[in-house]
Amino acid sequence: RRQLNRLRREPSRTLDGTDIKLWANAESREDVAEAHALGAAGVGLYRTEFLFMGSREIPDEETQFRTYRDAVIGMTGRTVTIRTLDLGADKADKTGLALRDEPNPALGLRGVRLSLAREGLLHTQLRAIVRASGYGPVRILVPMISGAEEMRTVRAMLRGVLAEVRAQGHEVAAQVPLGAMIEVPSAALALPAFIGACDFLSIGTNDLVQYLLAADRNNDALGELYTPLHPAVLRLLRDVVRIANRRGKPVAVCGEIAGDPLFVPLLLALGLGELSLHPATLLEVRRAIRACDLSLLRTRAPALLRARDRAGIEQWLAANTPEHS
């Protein structure tokens, strides 16, 4: 623990001198404070649904604005990425927004689908986020994007909200970057068609693995099947990163694998330079990054992508953890 604490003020830099951006996931004021204290680059994923889940009424614009503003102020100039409402599936609320009896909730009315289906819901949230941008750098992240149409709809709505809020005299940022969560396989495959509508990307591996492998991540009986260590998952990650890099769009991973130091060599080898994770594991991941030789890992990426099964990927990981390299 003492060794980890020494890393609070150290850079997240590989042995060969490449800085890796470590964002923090947050859902409360305490998470934001911890992220700041640990030297996170910013908040890569602020979960807004917990504001809704704790209330019997849909939070109004002022309530949302104050919450987002406090998170922005708490990061003292470091960017806060606020994800729009991601209710549905395993996250039901007390307001009745999320449907409780959907036959297949993981594939149902959730994320951006729910936000667009409920009149005024997304408009109010965008207004609150845009107003918070007057207090520090803010980005907006949209969950459960499945294709171009949703992203273009949100982009148009954001443009209108910015004009509306400015006309009312609020001081807001000149630009509020808009990003898509890549967690639905169709979004990953159709990315070239709508990446122009995105300022950045965040790969949500928890759902991406679930949908790609048709394995419920909450079903213990499928524990062996639900794994990011599958050749199809790695190839899809590689493809998303390549497309983002070609278009000059920042891309991060924000699923659970980002917070596991054991996966750091794999993610770096696939070309990722940004990870977003819970503050509790940030220092361990920083330590893992500082033990990696990025150029060496990149030369070994083809061998990783040639692995035919989980066992082959695990062998690659075992051979490329810092103590074995």
Side-chain angles (χ1 to χ4, degrees), residues 227-284:
T227 174
L229 300 182
H230 188 289
V233 174
L234 299 195
R235 288 168 194 162
L236 202 58
L237 285 174
R238 185 270 316 270
D239 291 347
V240 169
V241 172
R242 275 186 177 175
I243 294 166
N245 288 344
R246 271 194 222 117
R247 296 293 295 270
K249 310 284 184 175
V251 56
V253 165
C254 64
E256 289 176 5
I257 64 171
D260 190 334
L262 295 176
F263 290 131
V264 165
L266 180 150
L267 295 173
L268 297 186
L270 292 175
L272 284 150
E274 299 187 19
L275 311 178
S276 190
L277 53 145
H278 193 279
T281 59
L282 192 145
L283 293 181
E284 293 178 38

Side-chain angles (χ1 to χ4, degrees), residues 1-317:
R1 180 55 56 187
R2 283 197 299 272
Q3 289 176 348
L4 284 175
N5 279 333
R6 292 193 196 107
L7 295 178
R8 283 173 175 260
R9 300 187 184 280
E10 295 296 325
S12 304
R13 184 175 296 151
T14 62
L15 286 173
D16 51 339
T18 300
D19 287 319
I20 304 300
K21 188 173 280 190
L22 285 188
W23 302 87
N25 296 342
E27 58 197 48
S28 67
R29 188 178 298 178
E30 292 74 23
D31 288 344
V32 171
E34 187 177 2
H36 187 280
L38 295 174
V43 173
L45 172 62
Y46 188 87
R47 297 182 173 96
T48 62
E49 56 272 10
F50 290 94
L51 180 61
F52 287 71
M53 291 168 69
S55 173
R56 293 194 174 277
E57 296 182 355
I58 298 172
D60 61 16
E61 181 182 324
E62 281 302 313
T63 301
Q64 293 188 57
F65 160 67
R66 288 193 297 270
T67 300
Y68 308 151
R69 177 202 60 195
D70 289 350
V72 172
I73 292 172
M75 287 307 290
T76 62
R78 297 178 222 172
T79 299
V80 175
T81 307
I82 300 175
R83 183 174 68 182
T84 60
L85 192 60
D86 192 23
L87 282 177
D90 57 333
K91 288 176 285 204
D93 66 325
K94 297 176 183 177
T95 67
L97 269 175
L99 301 178
R100 294 183 180 278
D101 299 316
E102 285 187 294
N104 196 341
L107 304 180
L109 194 64
R110 56 173 300 201
V112 69
R113 303 169 182 177
L114 179 64
S115 293
L116 292 173
R118 299 289 188 263
E119 185 178 356
L121 185 62
L122 184 58
H123 181 266
T124 298
Q125 185 165 37
L126 290 178
R127 279 186 56 91
I129 296 172
V130 165
R131 287 175 59 195
S133 75
Y135 294 81
V138 167
R139 303 190 304 180
I140 298 173
L141 180 61
V142 187
M144 284 297 290
I145 289 291
S146 57
E149 296 82 0
E150 293 156 334
M151 203 62 203
R152 290 173 187 147
T153 298
V154 178
R155 171 67 73 183
M157 191 180 294
L158 175 60
R159 197 179 299 121
V161 164
L162 280 164
E164 180 183 293
V165 171
R166 286 193 186 111
Q168 292 170 350
H170 296 286
E171 288 191 19
V172 300
Q175 297 291 331
V176 180
L178 182 68
M181 278 197 79
I182 305 300
E183 51 192 337
V184 177
S186 64
L189 294 170
L191 186 56
F194 70 90
I195 194 169
C198 305
D199 297 310
F200 66 98
L201 302 174
S202 190
I203 306 172
T205 50
N206 297 349
D207 273 326
L208 185 62
V209 171
Q210 168 174 251
Y211 295 136
L212 190 61
L213 303 182
D216 185 350
R217 61 190 175 108
N218 296 313
N219 188 333
D220 292 338
L222 300 176
E224 283 298 308
L225 184 57
Y226 176 82
T227 174
L229 300 182
H230 188 289
V233 174
L234 299 195
R235 288 168 194 162
L236 202 58
L237 285 174
R238 185 270 316 270
D239 291 347
V240 169
V241 172
R242 275 186 177 175
I243 294 166
N245 288 344
R246 271 194 222 117
R247 296 293 295 270
K249 310 284 184 175
V251 56
V253 165
C254 64
E256 289 176 5
I257 64 171
D260 190 334
L262 295 176
F263 290 131
V264 165
L266 180 150
L267 295 173
L268 297 186
L270 292 175
L272 284 150
E274 299 187 19
L275 311 178
S276 190
L277 53 145
H278 193 279
T281 59
L282 192 145
L283 293 181
E284 293 178 38
V285 170
R286 179 173 291 156
R287 178 170 62 182
I289 289 169
R290 290 168 62 86
C292 286
D293 184 321
L294 182 61
S295 58
L296 183 62
L297 288 173
R298 296 278 169 87
T299 64
R300 295 177 177 178
L304 171 63
L305 292 163
R306 285 195 300 270
R308 297 184 177 183
D309 51 27
R310 178 174 179 168
I313 296 169
E314 288 174 342
Q315 287 173 7
W316 186 95
L317 268 175

